[in-house]
């Protein structure tokens, strides 16, 4: 019987967070000393928790393990007691004392979360014994560690059960003989607390998400994409258009990595605040030289406008432009009332006045200059914005604009006339055009293409051509749920929970890959809160308070171990194999473009993709009925 190991051994040297020396020793012990029925999960994405190891045996139980490579002789570790009676784990290095990460309380949190949330069908009270939480110190003696753990065992029962429920192991226990002390569940006869069905409840959280495994694979480019990534035009200006999933962002990332490997400084800018996280990870997959990351800078456009104005010494001019916005935000109004007051003034400020000031600032000798400036999702930009960015590109440098006019969700693509292109530095030639769609599975590509033909203007539609070599290699389950407004939240929550039942070791799918999209903040937050009642935490951006919303957006990335939830706009440019989306309004070209952009976020996968659309927009009912053919 082959042991289940996630990620597989062949990938351990490529983990984004490399194994420590102690973790490597512990894995080798588990792999050689445990029966093959024990599955080993390394750094699993556990709904916001990231233990070092989780061991799972479907007929015995679960062991969650935290590893600390601490050298107790290098620093003095001690427990500090507060006046309130609480305790903190601290360390002293010379004259400096500081709080340290507390593995004793962390492992209790892991154990309780697995029992209460991720294996909710474990027997009440008795099922707690099926989960063991261990802390392992591979380079310290166990006797010295027990005194550190003791203050964090609050009751007599906890102290009595510590060696059974929260055992501590040191360097002497890193042997096959020591496994039973580290994992006391091994000493028990197999019992009925754990079953294969209960193990299935947990596996969806333990399997590595698609995004994490993709990070260890180099970017794969076709010949057209590679030709663009490895060359430059004579002028240095290049514009690339392409359909959804045709590899525009891959080309941008590969070109940025190549220039960074050559020692050049690259500036990558997006309009979408969340998108640069995704682009950064793509560049990381393509770069090869040491220190490349220090040569690539990422920003979203309006944040760059602010920073470049400050660099140029235009703080007063910036403050004057933003004063009307600051006055309204300082009133601390209800977010809806604040948005109502901001709505009439923001377009002129953010689309015209601030970019004009940034244009002026970019030409200053005091502002940072780059060998290349790359703009993704260029259809979201106005020509004025592009021209402002040109000011930070060094003479003889490169400027790249990539766009998909089909995803014109802000109505800005029509601004890019031939005359505007000439004024933007594109003096001749044509767009480079990427036509083949590699992201969508064939079923989803047919449905998205039909949506574009029905609802989007012909003059801006760029429908992806199918990848003939991959037809039918990537299975997909598509579902359209037409409902009334008041039923929508229930349908969305049920759809997300249904996808979770499709995840786990045998499926190759992980809960952390599930993404929920909705274009209404209040509705999205309602679904997120309802999921929380089922113990499902979500990394989301649904917040009306603008400051808090921006903070959530800056923290939103696919590597987060939780289910993802955000708006159509914030997810544009991203991709995921497991998706649920909600459509309430479908009126107007920009709304239709946003729906199309959301539909094309589904990523094909050899293990299968899933998309459920919950829709209460009557305008799309007839179109949604055609999805019945795609089950």
């Amino acid at each position: 019987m082959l042991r289940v190991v996630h990620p597989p051994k062949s990938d351990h040297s490529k983990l984004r967070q490399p194994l420590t020396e102690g973790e490597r020793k512990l894995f080798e012990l588990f792999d050689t000393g445990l029966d093959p029925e024990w599955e080993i999960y390394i750094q699993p994405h556990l709904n916001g928790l990231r233990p070092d190891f989780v061991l799972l045996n479907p007929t015995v139980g679960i062991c969650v393990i935290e590893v600390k490579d601490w050298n107790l002789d290098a620093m003095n570790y001690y427990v500090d007691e507060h006046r309130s009676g609480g305790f903190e784990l601290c360390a002293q290095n010379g004259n400096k004392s500081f709080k340290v990460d507390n593995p004793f309380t962390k492992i209790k949190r892991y154990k309780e979360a697995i029992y209460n949330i991720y294996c909710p069908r474990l027997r009440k009270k008795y099922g707690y014994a099926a989960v063991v939480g261990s802390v392992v110190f591979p380079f310290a003696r166990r006797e010295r560690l027990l005194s550190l753990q003791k203050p964090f065992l609050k009751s007599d029962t906890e102290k009595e059960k510590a060696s059974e429920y929260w055992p501590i192991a040191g360097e002497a226990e890193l042997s096959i003989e020591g496994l039973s002390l580290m994992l006391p569940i091994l000493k028990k006869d197999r019992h009925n607390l754990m079953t294969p069905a209960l193990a299935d409840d947990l596996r969806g959280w333990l399997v590595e998400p698609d995004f994490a495994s993709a990070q260890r694979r180099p970017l794969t480019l076709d010949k057209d994409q590679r030709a663009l990534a490895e060359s430059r035009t004579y002028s240095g200006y290049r514009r690339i258009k392409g359909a959804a999933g045709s590899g525009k962002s891959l080309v941008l990332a590969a070109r940025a990595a190549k220039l960074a490997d050559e020692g050049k400084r690259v500036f990558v800018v997006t309009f979408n605040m969340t998108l640069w996280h995704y682009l950064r990870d793509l560049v990381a997959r393509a770069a090869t030289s040491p220190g490349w990351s220090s040569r690539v800078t990422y920003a979203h456009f309006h944040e760059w406008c602010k920073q470049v104005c400050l660099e140029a010494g235009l703080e007063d001019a910036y403050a004057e432009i933003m004063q009307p916005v600051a006055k309204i935000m300082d009133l601390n109004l209800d977010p809806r009332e604040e948005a109502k007051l901001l709505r009439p003034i923001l377009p002129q400020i953010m689309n015209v006045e601030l970019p004009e000031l940034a244009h002026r600032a970019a030409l200053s000798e005091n502002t940072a200059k780059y060998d290349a400036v790359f703009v993704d999702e260029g259809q979201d930009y106005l020509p004025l914005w592009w021209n402002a960015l040109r000011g930070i590109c060094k003479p003889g440098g490169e400027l790249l604009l990539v766009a998909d006019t089909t995803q014109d969700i802000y109505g800005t693509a029509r601004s890019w006339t031939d005359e505007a292109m000439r004024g933007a530095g594109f003096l001749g030639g044509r767009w480079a055009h990427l036509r083949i769609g590699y992201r969508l599975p064939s079923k989803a590509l047919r449905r998205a293409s039909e949506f574009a033909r029905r609802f989007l203007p012909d003059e801006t539609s760029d429908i992806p051509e199918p990848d003939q070599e991959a037809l039918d290699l990537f299975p997909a389950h598509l579902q359209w749920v037409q409902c009334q407004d008041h039923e929508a939240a229930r349908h969305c929550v049920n759809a997300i929970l249904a996808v979770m039942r499709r995840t786990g070791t045998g499926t190759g799918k992980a809960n952390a890959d599930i993404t929920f999209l909705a274009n209404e903040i209040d509705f999205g937050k309602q679904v997120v809160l309802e999921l929380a009642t089922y113990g499902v935490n979500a990394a989301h951006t649904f917040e009306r308070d603008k400051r808090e919303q921006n903070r959530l957006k800056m923290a939103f990335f696919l590597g987060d171990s939780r289910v993802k939830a955000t708006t159509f706009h914030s997810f544009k440019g991203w991709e995921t194999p497991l998706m649920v989306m909600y459509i309430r309004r479908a009126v107007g070209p920009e709304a239709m473009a946003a729906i199309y952009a959301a539909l094309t976020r589904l990523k094909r996968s050899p293990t299968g993709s899933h998309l459920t659309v919950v829709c209460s927009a009557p305008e799309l009912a007839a179109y949604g009925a055609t999805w019945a053919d795609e089950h």
Side-chain angles (χ1 to χ4, degrees):
M1 177 180 178
L2 290 177
R3 183 190 307 285
V4 172
V5 178
H6 273 278
K9 295 181 195 178
S10 58
D11 284 356
H12 288 187
S13 63
K14 309 170 192 172
L15 293 176
R16 193 169 189 180
Q17 182 178 330
L19 294 178
T20 66
E21 183 181 353
E23 289 168 350
R24 285 195 297 271
K25 286 186 175 184
L26 203 56
F27 171 76
E28 291 169 3
L29 175 61
F30 293 153
D31 196 32
T32 57
L34 293 175
D35 290 340
E37 290 86 356
W38 282 96
E39 303 168 15
I40 304 176
Y41 297 89
I42 300 168
Q43 300 170 5
H45 289 63
L46 198 61
N47 200 21
L49 306 176
R50 291 297 297 272
D52 294 317
F53 293 96
V54 170
L55 310 178
L56 172 64
N57 188 315
T59 58
V60 177
I62 303 160
C63 301
V64 57
I65 297 149
E66 188 74 6
V67 183
K68 293 296 181 187
D69 287 19
W70 291 356
N71 181 347
L72 299 191
D73 294 323
M75 285 195 296
N76 175 38
Y77 290 86
Y78 64 97
V79 177
D80 186 27
E81 183 176 3
H82 297 294
R83 291 180 180 178
S84 62
F87 296 95
E88 277 187 350
L89 187 59
C90 301
Q92 186 174 26
N93 188 3
N95 295 324
K96 183 180 179 182
S97 296
F98 49 91
K99 181 181 176 181
V100 297
D101 185 39
N102 190 332
F104 308 117
T105 55
K106 183 183 287 186
I107 207 69
K108 290 171 71 175
R109 187 165 72 249
Y110 290 162
K111 175 179 167 72
E112 289 164 5
I114 289 174
Y115 172 65
N116 290 315
I117 299 174
Y118 309 117
C119 288
R121 292 189 290 168
L122 279 169
R123 287 171 58 190
K124 185 177 180 181
K125 187 178 179 180
Y126 298 104
Y128 200 63
V131 186
V132 171
S134 303
V135 184
V136 180
F137 298 81
F139 306 107
R141 288 173 41 228
R142 180 172 180 266
E143 294 74 20
R144 297 178 65 180
L145 300 163
L146 292 174
S147 61
L148 292 176
Q149 181 197 35
K150 188 174 181 180
F152 301 102
L153 301 171
K154 297 180 179 179
S155 66
D156 291 340
T157 301
E158 284 193 358
K159 293 172 183 176
E160 181 183 340
K161 296 285 187 179
S163 62
E164 180 180 354
Y165 288 166
W166 308 288
I168 304 296
E171 56 187 345
E173 287 70 49
L174 259 66
S175 64
I176 292 178
E177 294 75 19
L179 274 174
S180 59
L181 188 148
M182 184 190 311
L183 309 173
I185 200 169
L186 298 177
K187 295 185 292 187
K188 295 187 174 184
D189 293 333
R190 298 191 177 192
H191 42 64
N192 295 325
L193 293 179
M194 194 68 191
T195 68
L198 298 177
D200 285 340
D201 291 343
L202 183 61
R203 284 195 183 99
W205 295 111
L206 297 178
V207 173
E208 186 181 41
D210 174 82
F211 177 80
S213 59
Q215 278 299 104
R216 297 193 297 274
R217 299 192 296 268
L219 296 184
T220 302
L221 306 180
D222 69 18
K223 61 181 181 61
D224 294 330
Q225 295 165 347
R226 188 164 298 282
L228 293 170
E230 294 182 351
S231 67
R232 62 167 280 165
T233 63
Y234 178 77
S235 68
Y237 282 72
R238 171 168 276 158
R239 45 184 169 159
I240 302 173
K241 69 176 179 178
S246 60
K248 302 181 297 299
S249 296
L250 296 186
V251 171
L252 183 151
R255 185 64 186 165
K258 186 175 189 303
L259 294 178
D261 285 340
E262 294 172 359
K264 296 178 180 176
R265 296 187 65 204
V266 184
F267 186 72
V268 178
V269 61
T270 67
F271 175 63
N272 179 342
M273 189 180 295
T274 58
L275 181 57
W276 67 263
H277 296 289
Y278 176 67
L279 294 176
R280 179 187 58 188
D281 290 321
L282 290 181
V283 176
R285 291 171 58 187
T288 58
S289 67
W292 68 267
S293 60
S294 65
R295 297 187 284 272
V296 185
T297 300
Y298 309 85
H300 61 93
F301 178 73
H302 286 102
E303 179 63 20
W304 169 77
C305 287
K306 176 181 178 180
Q307 292 302 323
V308 77
C309 290
L310 299 182
E311 285 179 30
L314 298 176
E315 298 97 329
D316 292 343
Y318 175 82
E320 183 178 352
I321 286 175
M322 299 302 295
Q323 186 179 36
V325 176
K327 281 185 176 180
I328 292 172
M329 297 189 75
D330 287 344
L331 295 174
N332 292 319
L333 300 171
D334 176 85
R336 291 184 182 83
E337 185 63 26
E338 179 181 272
K340 184 178 178 181
L341 294 176
L342 288 172
R343 196 172 296 119
I345 66 171
L346 278 181
Q348 176 66 18
I349 293 173
M350 305 305 282
N351 294 349
V352 180
E353 296 177 19
L354 181 56
E356 283 180 343
L357 184 65
H359 191 181
R360 179 177 141 205
L363 301 175
S364 167
E365 295 180 356
N366 298 324
T367 56
K369 301 297 190 289
Y370 298 85
D371 298 293
V373 177
F374 292 171
V375 173
D376 199 10
E377 301 291 343
Q379 74 279 356
D380 296 342
Y381 282 65
L382 292 166
L384 169 61
W385 303 5
W386 167 262
N387 285 325
L389 288 163
R390 290 169 66 192
I392 60 170
C393 187
K394 295 177 181 178
E398 292 188 33
L399 292 107
L400 173 63
L401 176 76
V402 301
D404 177 7
T405 55
T406 320
Q407 300 182 56
D408 183 21
I409 65 176
Y410 301 105
T412 50
R414 63 181 70 95
S415 302
W416 288 98
T417 62
D418 289 342
E419 181 180 353
M421 279 292 176
R422 287 191 293 272
F426 300 100
L427 301 180
R430 299 179 178 178
W431 288 82
H433 196 177
L434 298 173
R435 302 178 185 278
I436 298 175
Y438 293 103
R439 177 190 299 131
L440 289 160
S442 57
K443 285 183 179 182
L445 177 58
R446 287 195 294 270
R447 297 277 63 86
S449 299
E450 177 61 22
F451 184 92
R453 281 188 286 268
R454 285 195 188 202
F455 303 112
L456 299 181
D458 291 339
E459 61 271 18
T460 57
S461 291
D462 190 358
I463 298 174
E465 297 176 6
D467 175 12
Q468 297 295 337
E469 296 181 2
L471 288 178
D472 302 322
L473 293 180
F474 300 95
H477 176 86
L478 307 183
Q479 183 180 18
W480 187 283
V481 179
Q482 192 72 28
C483 65
Q484 300 297 315
D485 286 353
H486 68 276
E487 304 171 315
R490 173 174 56 84
H491 282 298
C492 289
V493 171
N494 288 344
I496 294 166
L497 296 176
V499 178
M500 291 176 64
R501 290 192 286 272
R502 295 170 174 264
T503 61
T505 308
T507 68
K509 302 180 182 71
N511 289 341
D513 283 320
I514 300 172
T515 300
F516 169 65
L517 302 181
N519 244 14
E520 295 192 354
I521 291 173
D522 293 337
F523 180 88
K525 196 164 187 178
Q526 178 186 352
V527 170
V528 166
L529 292 174
E530 181 67 20
L531 285 172
T533 67
Y534 290 90
V536 179
N537 297 324
H540 72 93
T541 64
F542 295 119
E543 179 59 57
R544 281 198 171 274
D545 181 274
K546 198 65 179 174
R547 295 182 184 90
E548 178 64 11
Q549 183 186 105
N550 288 346
R551 189 187 68 82
L552 292 173
K553 285 181 178 179
M554 293 304 292
F556 187 89
F557 71 110
L558 288 181
D560 195 295
S561 57
R562 296 169 289 177
V563 168
K564 317 300 184 298
T566 189
T567 63
F568 296 177
H569 292 63
S570 289
F571 206 66
K572 192 159 68 70
W574 297 59
E575 58 188 16
T576 181
L578 305 175
M579 192 166 80
V580 175
M581 59 180 282
Y582 171 57
I583 304 170
R584 183 176 184 182
R585 293 190 178 90
V587 179
E590 293 172 20
M592 291 300 189
I595 294 169
Y596 172 80
L599 290 171
T600 60
R601 297 307 95 202
L602 187 68
K603 178 185 179 182
R604 68 191 191 185
S605 168
T607 61
S609 306
H610 181 100
L611 170 60
T612 295
V613 177
V614 178
C615 178
S616 60
E619 301 86 356
L620 298 182
Y623 163 76
T626 66
W627 282 45
D629 301 331
E630 298 291 2
H631 278 289

